[in-house]
Amino acid sequence: IPDMFENRLDKITSNPSDLVIEIKPIEGNHHWPSNYFAYNKLEPASGTTGLVNLGNTCYMNSALQCLVHIPQLRDYFLYDGYEDEINEENPLGYHGYVARAFSDLVQKLFQNRMSIMQRNAAFPPSMFKSTIGHFNSMFSGYMQQDSQEF
């Protein structure tokens, strides 16, 4: 909270539920991603309850749940921060298709445009899985896989 910004961590006696720690160099004019928290109230994420298992896709769903619940990563794709950094010309890359598919998934999971009924239901990540399967045939079917390989 703002009245605690100047406190030292070892002097805090309460049990905060959200704690943002930032280390800045004394010199220079730097932009920090956590400046978002100085101007915006921290709120729990809202969104869909979970992901539908499309048939042996637990490995994918568990990895996606971990990724989409990293606030900085979620917000980077939710608010289109990634768009300026896509390299569509890289012959070794995916021309932005995977990044856009992930962004689309994050948008569908966390934007509040859905009705309350839709938000409380699980979401099928079919388009994201299809995109991943297109670029890596190992994930094109519905065989069991490992999360770390995904």
Side-chain angles (χ1 to χ4, degrees), residues 31-42 74-75 79:
H31 171 73
W32 294 85
S34 62
N35 284 350
Y36 173 85
F37 299 114
Y39 303 107
N40 297 283
K41 181 180 174 191
L42 288 173
R74 178 195 64 227
D75 291 349
Y79 301 113

Side-chain angles (χ1 to χ4, degrees), residues 38-122:
Y39 303 107
N40 297 283
K41 181 180 174 191
L42 288 173
E43 295 179 9
S46 61
T48 306
T49 305
L51 298 170
V52 172
N53 186 340
L54 304 171
N56 289 329
T57 58
C58 300
Y59 68 92
M60 179 182 76
N61 290 356
S62 62
L64 288 174
Q65 287 284 7
C66 289
L67 292 174
V68 302
H69 284 89
I70 299 170
Q72 295 84 351
L73 183 65
R74 178 195 64 227
D75 291 349
Y76 183 67
F77 284 93
L78 184 61
Y79 301 113
D80 298 327
Y82 73 98
E83 276 289 344
D84 292 335
E85 298 183 23
I86 290 179
N87 181 353
E88 296 178 351
E89 308 304 317
N90 184 346
L92 301 176
Y94 304 118
H95 308 288
Y97 288 107
V98 173
R100 287 189 181 98
F102 185 74
S103 177
D104 185 56
L105 176 68
V106 171
Q107 302 280 331
K108 288 183 171 128
L109 290 174
F110 289 96
Q111 281 194 339
N112 291 322
R113 293 182 189 160
M114 296 184 251
S115 70
I116 291 174
M117 182 79 125
Q118 289 171 312
R119 273 197 308 255
N120 291 330

Side-chain angles (χ1 to χ4, degrees), residues 52 54 60 105 123-132 142:
V52 172
L54 304 171
M60 179 182 76
L105 176 68
F123 179 79
S126 309
M127 291 304 295
F128 182 77
K129 186 192 178 310
S130 175
T131 301
I132 294 293
Y142 292 93

Side-chain angles (χ1 to χ4, degrees), residues 1-4 7-21 42:
I1 58 175
D3 61 343
M4 296 179 75
N7 288 355
R8 288 179 26 181
L9 190 56
D10 61 348
K11 301 294 182 196
I12 296 175
T13 57
S14 65
N15 293 323
S17 59
D18 289 309
L19 182 61
V20 178
I21 299 174
L42 288 173

